[in-house]
Structure formats: C-alpha cells, structure tokens
C-alpha cells in the first residue's frame, strides 16, 4: 500500500496543481462578485434599509460598554461634567430667548418696508421713477447696444399691450406666483385654491409680546372675495426654548410645540376643503339600489388653517405626527424665508440660489461616485456591468 501511495504521489503533475489553484481563485473571485452584487441589491431595497435604520436608531444613546469599564472615581467626575453640560443647555436657552427679543425688535424695523411692499403689490401706492430704478449686477449687465435694442423692443411691446388692454393694477397674483414657485408650497396647492389665492394681498409675521410665552403668528390678508368673509386668516405656532428635564441633552434651540389655526367663514357652496360624493348602495335582502350623498374632506391649501390638535399627553398617531411635522416645516419656512424675501421668490432668484446649493451637493455626490467607480476598476475582481 505504501508503494501504491508513493506511486500516486509521483504521478501528480505540477501543472495540474497550478490548474487547481487557478480554478479555486476563479471560484473565489466569482463568490466575491456575487456577494457584492447581492449586497448592492439588498441596499437598494427600501424595506431592508428601513429595518437597518431602525436597528441603528435603537443603538443611538445606548452605552458602548466603555463607560461601565471606567473606575468609579472617573465615573464620578464624568457625572460632574454632565451637570456642567446641563447648565450650558440652560444658558443656551436664555441665549435663544434673547434672540427672540431681537427678532421682535427688528421685526418692527422691517415692517414699514413690508407695508410699502404690500401697498405696491395691491396698487395702493405707485412707486416713483427713482424707486423703480434698478441697477443690475455685473452678471446681468449687457452691452449698451443690446440694452438700447431691448429697451426699444420693450417700449413697442408695452405700447401694444396698452392698446389691447388696460394697465394692470399693482402686481397681479404676486403671492400666488410666490407659492407656485416654491416646491414646498406648490405641493399644497390644488387647482381650486388658485382663484382664492389671487385675492391674497399680504402675509405678515407677528411675534409674541415681551414676557409672553414664545410664539409667532402668520397672518394671511385677503381682499374681499366671493369665497369667505374673513379678511385675515391666522396660524399661530407655540414654541418652547428650555431643556426638557427628562432629557436636557437633546436641547438644540427653540422647538415648535403646537399650532392653532382659525375658523374660515366660507360662503354657501364655496367651502373647497369639503367635497360631496355619491355612492350607490345595494340592499342585501331586497336587492334594491339607492344613492347616498356624503360629504368628505377635500385636498386644499386651506386645510393649513385646520391642523391636528396635539393632545395634552403629547401622544399622537404616526399620520398626525407626520402632518404636524410637515406643518411646522412649512410655517417655519414662510416665517424665515418667504415673508422676508418674497420678491426674490416671485422673480425666481431665491429659488436659483437654493438650486445652486443643491447642485453643489450633487456635484460632491457625483465625485464620490466617480471615486467609487475608479476603486472598483482597480479591483482585480471587478466585473463591469453589461
């Protein structure tokens, strides 16, 4: 038997051994490639990503084990640092309270300018030639000949328009155009909202008085119209700027705690937040069919003034929480961006600035993607997609 074993060993060709090694390497490469493809497919699955995110969220704030391994005397000192951090959070809360007071102070300085804007929009004031003179920035400047050509063309067009119709008053559909230009707001608009929003003359922000709980109110001023009798629709957001005693380290500035809308006094048959539907019902026994009329909620921007109520317990279902979260984002955006810079959203210039910010992020993402592709090409196991 020993002789046979020796004979078998001597008959193995070294070339055969190399073939075996090459086959093993090919199989390993194929396995790695399949594993990568499977991983990519899994990461593109929204359900798997959601499950992973849920697991990661569960790990946030959980002890790593390092703190438990520290000596008792060190843990004691860490607790002292935490107490200092809580005091920092309370000082930060005071800082934001003073910021709110500054907002109130400067809101009073801005308001005369916003009032004049409103007067121009609704044709209560006609600006002078000097006020209408606008010097374009360097990027907007054109050659003198081109400017003259455009002025002449504009003059002819204006004369033509004057012959066709009367001179429009103010700036027609100013706020409606602003809303339609901003994705966050245009998503709320329905076709039946637009005729009403053509009557919107101004949006104002009113801050809570000194010494009162922190809040702000959005006021939507309408001219008389056929849809409702209100001249002003309001939405008030209540805020809190103090650390939560149960979780002081989560404090990150003022947060909106709730909001209240207002009652819209709709004229008869004009309430676009409701719609009437007809359903046919068949009697189980007799087989007769009857038509039932039912009133149900209808999608509309004006639902913005009827937000879900936050219960005293603070517990809400997921749908209501999502609605409120979106509501808070919209209210904050109108206050921080729309009201102060309305004309730039009307012209689209503010939107271009926002888009430029996103383009930069996109370019960075593209660069990272390119680096990943380059890494894959340098990988000996990389298999290009067909």
């Amino acid at each position: 038997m020993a002789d046979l074993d020796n004979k078998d060993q001597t008959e193995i060709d070294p070339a055969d051994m190399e073939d075996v090694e090459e086959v093993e390497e090919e199989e390993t490469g194929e396995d790695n490639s399949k594993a990568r493809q499977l991983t990519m497919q899994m990461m593109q699955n929204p359900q798997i990503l959601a499950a992973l995110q849920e697991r990661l969220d569960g790990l946030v704030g959980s002890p790593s084990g390092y703190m438990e391994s520290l000596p008792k005397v060190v843990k004691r000192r860490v607790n002292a640092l935490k107490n200092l951090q809580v005091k920092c959070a309370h000082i930060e809360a005071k800082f934001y309270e003073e910021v709110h007071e500054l907002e109130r102070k400067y809101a009073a300085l801005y308001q005369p300018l916003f009032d004049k804007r409103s007067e121009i929009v609704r044709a209560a004031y006609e600006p002078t030639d000097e006020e209408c003179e606008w010097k374009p920035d360097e990027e907007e400047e054109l050659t003198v000949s081109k400017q003259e050509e455009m002025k002449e063309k504009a003059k002819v067009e204006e004369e033509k328009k004057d012959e066709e119709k009367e001179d429009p008053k103010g700036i027609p559909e100013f706020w409606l155009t602003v809303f339609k230009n901003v994705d966050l707001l245009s998503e709320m608009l329905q076709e039946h909202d637009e005729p009403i929003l053509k009557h919107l003359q101004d949006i104002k922000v009113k801050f809570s008085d000194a010494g009162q709980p922190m809040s702000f109110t959005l006021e939507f001023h309408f001219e008389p119209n056929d849809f409702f009798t209100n001249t002003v629709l309001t939405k008030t957001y209540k805020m809190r700027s103090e650390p939560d005693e149960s979780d002081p380290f989560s404090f990150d500035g003022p947060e909106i705690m709730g909001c209240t809308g207002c009652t819209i006094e709709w004229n008869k048959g004009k309430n676009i937040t409701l719609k009437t539907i007809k359903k046919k019902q068949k009697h189980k026994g007799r087989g007769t069919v009857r038509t039932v009329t039912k009133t149900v909620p209808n999608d509309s921007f004006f639902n913005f003034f009827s937000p879900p109520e936050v219960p005293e317990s603070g517990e809400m279902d997921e749908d209501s929480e999502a609605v409120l979260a979106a509501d808070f984002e919209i209210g904050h955006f109108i206050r921080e961006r729309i009201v102060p810079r309305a004309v730039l959203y009307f012209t689209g210039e503010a939107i271009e600035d926002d888009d430029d910010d996103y383009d930069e992020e996109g370019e960075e993402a593209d660069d990272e993607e390119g680096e990943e592709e380059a890494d894959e090409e340098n990988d000996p196991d990389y298999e290009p997609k067909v």
Side-chain angles (χ1 to χ4, degrees):
M1 290 293 292
D3 292 339
L4 287 172
D5 290 341
N6 290 337
K7 186 178 180 181
D8 290 340
Q9 290 173 2
T10 56
E11 288 179 355
I12 295 176
D13 190 342
D16 293 339
M17 290 296 292
E18 291 177 4
D19 291 341
V20 170
E21 289 175 1
E22 287 177 5
V23 170
E24 288 178 351
E25 287 178 1
E26 288 176 5
E27 289 177 351
T28 305
E30 289 178 3
D31 291 343
N32 289 339
S33 178
K34 289 178 180 176
R36 275 199 306 274
Q37 290 176 2
L38 182 60
T39 302
M40 289 178 67
Q41 289 174 1
M42 290 173 64
M43 295 307 291
Q44 290 172 356
N45 188 318
Q47 293 178 340
I48 293 175
L49 286 175
L52 286 172
Q53 186 63 51
E54 188 175 348
R55 290 290 300 276
L56 290 171
D57 290 342
L59 293 174
V60 174
S62 60
S64 62
Y66 174 71
M67 280 298 298
E68 284 74 7
S69 68
L70 293 174
K72 188 175 181 180
V73 66
V74 176
K75 290 181 183 177
R76 182 171 171 273
R77 293 167 191 148
V78 171
N79 288 337
L81 296 184
K82 285 186 175 182
N83 286 323
L84 291 175
Q85 191 62 43
V86 171
K87 290 180 180 179
C88 286
H90 284 282
I91 292 173
E92 188 179 3
K94 292 293 182 185
F95 164 76
Y96 283 113
E97 286 177 7
E98 292 193 20
V99 168
H100 186 69
E101 291 303 312
L102 278 174
E103 285 184 312
R104 289 179 59 254
K105 174 185 174 181
Y106 279 90
L109 299 178
Y110 286 128
Q111 197 54 53
L113 302 177
F114 294 157
D115 288 342
K116 197 162 192 178
R117 177 181 69 188
S118 175
E119 290 174 356
I120 294 172
V121 167
R122 56 191 172 89
Y125 172 78
E126 183 62 35
T128 64
D129 291 341
E130 184 181 354
E131 289 173 321
C132 294
E133 187 67 31
W134 176 255
K135 183 181 178 182
D137 57 32
E138 292 180 3
E139 292 181 3
E140 294 175 340
E141 286 182 356
L142 302 170
T143 61
V144 177
S145 58
K146 188 70 174 175
Q147 286 182 5
E148 293 300 327
E149 181 185 336
M150 290 184 69
K151 281 182 181 178
E152 190 62 33
K153 187 177 180 182
K155 186 179 179 182
V156 172
E157 288 181 357
E158 284 180 8
E159 289 174 354
K160 202 175 189 180
K161 286 180 181 178
D162 289 342
E163 292 174 3
E164 292 175 358
K165 60 180 181 179
E166 295 181 6
D167 183 34
K169 303 297 181 183
I171 304 179
E173 303 181 14
F174 178 82
W175 290 102
L176 173 59
T177 303
V178 170
F179 276 44
K180 291 171 77 172
N181 281 346
V182 179
D183 289 342
L184 185 65
L185 302 179
S186 65
E187 290 172 359
M188 303 168 63
L189 297 184
Q190 306 297 322
E191 190 175 343
H192 47 254
D193 292 322
E194 295 188 15
I196 307 178
L197 289 173
K198 288 179 181 180
H199 298 285
L200 179 59
Q201 293 184 316
D202 198 12
I203 303 177
K204 296 181 179 180
V205 180
K206 295 291 180 70
F207 292 95
S208 53
D209 295 331
Q212 296 297 315
M214 191 181 293
S215 68
F216 68 92
T217 300
L218 300 176
E219 295 182 351
F220 295 74
H221 292 253
F222 288 84
E223 65 181 350
N225 59 80
D226 296 332
F227 299 92
F228 46 72
T229 58
N230 312 63
T231 55
V232 181
L233 301 181
T234 61
K235 185 76 170 284
T236 300
Y237 290 87
K238 299 173 185 176
M239 299 186 295
R240 181 179 70 179
S241 181
E242 58 184 25
D244 187 340
E245 291 183 5
S246 62
D247 186 16
F249 303 131
S250 65
F251 180 72
D252 191 27
E255 57 180 334
I256 296 175
M257 301 303 297
C259 57
T260 53
C262 66
T263 301
I264 301 177
E265 303 295 340
W266 294 99
N267 290 328
K268 188 176 180 180
K270 299 293 184 176
N271 187 349
I272 59 173
T273 64
L274 297 175
K275 64 181 178 180
T276 303
I277 59 172
K278 293 182 179 180
K279 285 188 175 182
K280 290 185 178 181
Q281 293 181 342
K282 187 175 182 180
H283 194 280
K284 292 181 180 178
R286 295 191 294 270
T288 55
V289 178
R290 67 173 183 175
T291 301
V292 177
T293 302
K294 189 177 180 182
T295 302
V296 297
N298 191 28
D299 290 338
S300 168
F301 164 76
F302 290 90
N303 290 323
F304 177 71
F305 299 98
S306 303
E309 292 185 7
V310 179
E312 293 183 4
S313 63
E315 296 181 2
M316 302 180 67
D317 58 68
E318 289 185 5
D319 290 342
S320 296
E321 283 185 356
V323 170
L324 273 182
D327 190 295
F328 294 169
E329 182 184 2
I330 292 163
H332 183 75
F333 190 82
I334 292 174
R335 166 196 160 182
E336 291 286 327
R337 305 291 291 276
I338 298 298
V339 172
R341 308 177 70 200
V343 65
L344 301 181
Y345 283 99
F346 176 81
T347 62
E349 291 165 84
I351 302 160
E352 289 171 7
D353 291 341
D354 294 343
D355 290 342
D356 288 343
D357 293 339
Y358 282 109
D359 287 340
E360 287 173 8
E361 291 177 6
E363 286 169 10
E364 288 175 7
D366 291 342
D367 291 342
E368 290 173 5
E369 212 171 87
E371 288 173 10
E372 288 178 6
E373 288 176 1
D375 290 340
E376 286 179 345
E377 288 175 1
N378 293 330
D379 186 346
D381 295 330
Y382 171 68
E383 292 184 4
K385 294 179 181 178
V386 180

PDB file of all heavy atoms in Angstrom, residues 7 43 96 102 117 140 155 160 163 249 259 282 293 308 325 332 339:
ATOM      1  N   LYS A   7       3.491   5.890  -5.527  1.00  0.00           N
ATOM      2  CA  LYS A   7       3.317   5.942  -6.973  1.00  0.00           C
ATOM      3  C   LYS A   7       2.302   7.006  -7.364  1.00  0.00           C
ATOM      4  O   LYS A   7       2.514   7.765  -8.293  1.00  0.00           O
ATOM      5  CB  LYS A   7       2.885   4.566  -7.470  1.00  0.00           C
ATOM      6  CG  LYS A   7       2.813   4.502  -9.000  1.00  0.00           C
ATOM      7  CD  LYS A   7       2.431   3.113  -9.430  1.00  0.00           C
ATOM      8  CE  LYS A   7       2.351   3.036 -10.957  1.00  0.00           C
ATOM      9  NZ  LYS A   7       1.947   1.702 -11.419  1.00  0.00           N
ATOM     10  N   MET A  43     -29.088  46.711  -0.424  1.00  0.00           N
ATOM     11  CA  MET A  43     -29.052  48.107  -0.019  1.00  0.00           C
ATOM     12  C   MET A  43     -29.992  48.977  -0.837  1.00  0.00           C
ATOM     13  O   MET A  43     -30.321  50.089  -0.449  1.00  0.00           O
ATOM     14  CB  MET A  43     -27.616  48.652  -0.138  1.00  0.00           C
ATOM     15  CG  MET A  43     -26.625  48.004   0.813  1.00  0.00           C
ATOM     16  SD  MET A  43     -27.167  48.050   2.537  1.00  0.00           S
ATOM     17  CE  MET A  43     -27.053  49.794   2.878  1.00  0.00           C
ATOM     18  N   TYR A  96     -31.300  81.886  23.268  1.00  0.00           N
ATOM     19  CA  TYR A  96     -32.351  81.870  22.247  1.00  0.00           C
ATOM     20  C   TYR A  96     -33.524  82.770  22.631  1.00  0.00           C
ATOM     21  O   TYR A  96     -34.193  83.325  21.761  1.00  0.00           O
ATOM     22  CB  TYR A  96     -32.822  80.444  21.991  1.00  0.00           C
ATOM     23  CG  TYR A  96     -31.862  79.652  21.145  1.00  0.00           C
ATOM     24  CD1 TYR A  96     -31.171  78.564  21.667  1.00  0.00           C
ATOM     25  CD2 TYR A  96     -31.629  79.998  19.815  1.00  0.00           C
ATOM     26  CE1 TYR A  96     -30.270  77.837  20.886  1.00  0.00           C
ATOM     27  CE2 TYR A  96     -30.741  79.289  19.024  1.00  0.00           C
ATOM     28  CZ  TYR A  96     -30.067  78.211  19.572  1.00  0.00           C
ATOM     29  OH  TYR A  96     -29.179  77.506  18.789  1.00  0.00           O
ATOM     30  N   LEU A 102     -34.602  89.986  20.045  1.00  0.00           N
ATOM     31  CA  LEU A 102     -34.001  90.722  18.931  1.00  0.00           C
ATOM     32  C   LEU A 102     -34.861  90.621  17.674  1.00  0.00           C
ATOM     33  O   LEU A 102     -35.011  91.595  16.922  1.00  0.00           O
ATOM     34  CB  LEU A 102     -32.595  90.192  18.633  1.00  0.00           C
ATOM     35  CG  LEU A 102     -31.453  90.721  19.509  1.00  0.00           C
ATOM     36  CD1 LEU A 102     -30.163  89.992  19.172  1.00  0.00           C
ATOM     37  CD2 LEU A 102     -31.271  92.219  19.315  1.00  0.00           C
ATOM     38  N   ARG A 117     -44.188  97.362   0.567  1.00  0.00           N
ATOM     39  CA  ARG A 117     -44.250  96.279  -0.426  1.00  0.00           C
ATOM     40  C   ARG A 117     -45.702  95.893  -0.684  1.00  0.00           C
ATOM     41  O   ARG A 117     -46.124  95.729  -1.838  1.00  0.00           O
ATOM     42  CB  ARG A 117     -43.458  95.072   0.082  1.00  0.00           C
ATOM     43  CG  ARG A 117     -43.517  93.852  -0.836  1.00  0.00           C
ATOM     44  CD  ARG A 117     -42.724  92.686  -0.258  1.00  0.00           C
ATOM     45  NE  ARG A 117     -43.344  92.123   0.937  1.00  0.00           N
ATOM     46  CZ  ARG A 117     -42.755  91.196   1.703  1.00  0.00           C
ATOM     47  NH1 ARG A 117     -41.546  90.766   1.414  1.00  0.00           N
ATOM     48  NH2 ARG A 117     -43.385  90.733   2.771  1.00  0.00           N
ATOM     49  N   GLU A 140     -25.675  90.551 -14.798  1.00  0.00           N
ATOM     50  CA  GLU A 140     -26.879  90.903 -15.546  1.00  0.00           C
ATOM     51  C   GLU A 140     -26.633  91.993 -16.586  1.00  0.00           C
ATOM     52  O   GLU A 140     -27.464  92.243 -17.451  1.00  0.00           O
ATOM     53  CB  GLU A 140     -27.972  91.378 -14.576  1.00  0.00           C
ATOM     54  CG  GLU A 140     -28.475  90.280 -13.638  1.00  0.00           C
ATOM     55  CD  GLU A 140     -29.456  90.840 -12.619  1.00  0.00           C
ATOM     56  OE1 GLU A 140     -29.444  92.071 -12.399  1.00  0.00           O
ATOM     57  OE2 GLU A 140     -30.217  90.064 -12.046  1.00  0.00           O
ATOM     58  N   LYS A 155     -40.466  98.870 -25.299  1.00  0.00           N
ATOM     59  CA  LYS A 155     -41.348 100.018 -25.474  1.00  0.00           C
ATOM     60  C   LYS A 155     -42.467  99.712 -26.469  1.00  0.00           C
ATOM     61  O   LYS A 155     -43.635 100.020 -26.235  1.00  0.00           O
ATOM     62  CB  LYS A 155     -40.528 101.222 -25.949  1.00  0.00           C
ATOM     63  CG  LYS A 155     -41.318 102.515 -26.029  1.00  0.00           C
ATOM     64  CD  LYS A 155     -40.430 103.657 -26.481  1.00  0.00           C
ATOM     65  CE  LYS A 155     -41.224 104.938 -26.594  1.00  0.00           C
ATOM     66  NZ  LYS A 155     -40.392 106.068 -27.070  1.00  0.00           N
ATOM     67  N   LYS A 160     -48.114  98.199 -27.372  1.00  0.00           N
ATOM     68  CA  LYS A 160     -49.053  97.243 -27.959  1.00  0.00           C
ATOM     69  C   LYS A 160     -50.026  96.734 -26.899  1.00  0.00           C
ATOM     70  O   LYS A 160     -51.237  96.631 -27.116  1.00  0.00           O
ATOM     71  CB  LYS A 160     -48.259  96.072 -28.550  1.00  0.00           C
ATOM     72  CG  LYS A 160     -48.990  95.286 -29.613  1.00  0.00           C
ATOM     73  CD  LYS A 160     -48.049  94.257 -30.197  1.00  0.00           C
ATOM     74  CE  LYS A 160     -48.652  93.599 -31.418  1.00  0.00           C
ATOM     75  NZ  LYS A 160     -47.726  92.592 -31.984  1.00  0.00           N
ATOM     76  N   GLU A 163     -52.645  99.236 -25.862  1.00  0.00           N
ATOM     77  CA  GLU A 163     -53.737  99.341 -26.824  1.00  0.00           C
ATOM     78  C   GLU A 163     -54.728  98.199 -26.640  1.00  0.00           C
ATOM     79  O   GLU A 163     -55.928  98.360 -26.843  1.00  0.00           O
ATOM     80  CB  GLU A 163     -53.184  99.323 -28.246  1.00  0.00           C
ATOM     81  CG  GLU A 163     -52.384 100.567 -28.606  1.00  0.00           C
ATOM     82  CD  GLU A 163     -51.731 100.446 -29.978  1.00  0.00           C
ATOM     83  OE1 GLU A 163     -51.962  99.403 -30.636  1.00  0.00           O
ATOM     84  OE2 GLU A 163     -51.009 101.367 -30.391  1.00  0.00           O
ATOM     85  N   PHE A 249     -30.084  66.928  27.423  1.00  0.00           N
ATOM     86  CA  PHE A 249     -29.032  66.949  26.398  1.00  0.00           C
ATOM     87  C   PHE A 249     -29.590  66.980  24.977  1.00  0.00           C
ATOM     88  O   PHE A 249     -28.848  67.171  24.016  1.00  0.00           O
ATOM     89  CB  PHE A 249     -28.101  65.734  26.556  1.00  0.00           C
ATOM     90  CG  PHE A 249     -27.468  65.651  27.924  1.00  0.00           C
ATOM     91  CD1 PHE A 249     -27.486  64.474  28.643  1.00  0.00           C
ATOM     92  CD2 PHE A 249     -26.862  66.762  28.492  1.00  0.00           C
ATOM     93  CE1 PHE A 249     -26.913  64.404  29.908  1.00  0.00           C
ATOM     94  CE2 PHE A 249     -26.285  66.699  29.753  1.00  0.00           C
ATOM     95  CZ  PHE A 249     -26.313  65.522  30.469  1.00  0.00           C
ATOM     96  N   CYS A 259     -49.598  74.117  17.218  1.00  0.00           N
ATOM     97  CA  CYS A 259     -50.087  75.248  16.420  1.00  0.00           C
ATOM     98  C   CYS A 259     -51.607  75.253  16.412  1.00  0.00           C
ATOM     99  O   CYS A 259     -52.249  74.217  16.601  1.00  0.00           O
ATOM    100  CB  CYS A 259     -49.543  75.179  14.998  1.00  0.00           C
ATOM    101  SG  CYS A 259     -49.940  73.661  14.119  1.00  0.00           S
ATOM    102  N   LYS A 282     -76.442  48.782  -2.343  1.00  0.00           N
ATOM    103  CA  LYS A 282     -77.405  47.752  -2.714  1.00  0.00           C
ATOM    104  C   LYS A 282     -77.908  47.052  -1.465  1.00  0.00           C
ATOM    105  O   LYS A 282     -77.125  46.606  -0.624  1.00  0.00           O
ATOM    106  CB  LYS A 282     -76.740  46.740  -3.661  1.00  0.00           C
ATOM    107  CG  LYS A 282     -77.711  45.720  -4.229  1.00  0.00           C
ATOM    108  CD  LYS A 282     -77.008  44.827  -5.239  1.00  0.00           C
ATOM    109  CE  LYS A 282     -77.985  43.835  -5.846  1.00  0.00           C
ATOM    110  NZ  LYS A 282     -77.334  42.949  -6.832  1.00  0.00           N
ATOM    111  N   THR A 293     -75.579  60.394  -0.610  1.00  0.00           N
ATOM    112  CA  THR A 293     -74.684  61.552  -0.743  1.00  0.00           C
ATOM    113  C   THR A 293     -73.912  61.734   0.556  1.00  0.00           C
ATOM    114  O   THR A 293     -74.496  61.739   1.643  1.00  0.00           O
ATOM    115  CB  THR A 293     -75.486  62.824  -1.046  1.00  0.00           C
ATOM    116  OG1 THR A 293     -76.233  62.619  -2.253  1.00  0.00           O
ATOM    117  CG2 THR A 293     -74.559  64.009  -1.244  1.00  0.00           C
ATOM    118  N   PRO A 308     -54.037  69.283  12.971  1.00  0.00           N
ATOM    119  CA  PRO A 308     -54.446  68.341  14.016  1.00  0.00           C
ATOM    120  C   PRO A 308     -54.121  68.921  15.393  1.00  0.00           C
ATOM    121  O   PRO A 308     -53.126  69.619  15.556  1.00  0.00           O
ATOM    122  CB  PRO A 308     -53.596  67.089  13.743  1.00  0.00           C
ATOM    123  CG  PRO A 308     -53.040  67.264  12.375  1.00  0.00           C
ATOM    124  CD  PRO A 308     -52.990  68.725  12.106  1.00  0.00           C
ATOM    125  N   ALA A 325     -45.436  67.551  11.597  1.00  0.00           N
ATOM    126  CA  ALA A 325     -44.026  67.796  11.268  1.00  0.00           C
ATOM    127  C   ALA A 325     -43.914  68.601   9.978  1.00  0.00           C
ATOM    128  O   ALA A 325     -43.134  69.563   9.886  1.00  0.00           O
ATOM    129  CB  ALA A 325     -43.277  66.465  11.140  1.00  0.00           C
ATOM    130  N   HIS A 332     -42.385  77.441   9.539  1.00  0.00           N
ATOM    131  CA  HIS A 332     -41.052  77.991   9.766  1.00  0.00           C
ATOM    132  C   HIS A 332     -40.477  78.570   8.472  1.00  0.00           C
ATOM    133  O   HIS A 332     -39.859  79.649   8.483  1.00  0.00           O
ATOM    134  CB  HIS A 332     -40.134  76.885  10.302  1.00  0.00           C
ATOM    135  CG  HIS A 332     -38.754  77.360  10.645  1.00  0.00           C
ATOM    136  ND1 HIS A 332     -38.492  78.101  11.769  1.00  0.00           N
ATOM    137  CD2 HIS A 332     -37.571  77.208  10.000  1.00  0.00           C
ATOM    138  CE1 HIS A 332     -37.193  78.393  11.803  1.00  0.00           C
ATOM    139  NE2 HIS A 332     -36.617  77.863  10.744  1.00  0.00           N
ATOM    140  N   VAL A 339     -41.643  85.407   3.771  1.00  0.00           N
ATOM    141  CA  VAL A 339     -42.035  86.789   4.108  1.00  0.00           C
ATOM    142  C   VAL A 339     -40.867  87.765   3.948  1.00  0.00           C
ATOM    143  O   VAL A 339     -41.029  88.817   3.321  1.00  0.00           O
ATOM    144  CB  VAL A 339     -42.629  86.850   5.539  1.00  0.00           C
ATOM    145  CG1 VAL A 339     -42.847  88.299   5.970  1.00  0.00           C
ATOM    146  CG2 VAL A 339     -43.944  86.074   5.597  1.00  0.00           C
TER     147      VAL A 339
END
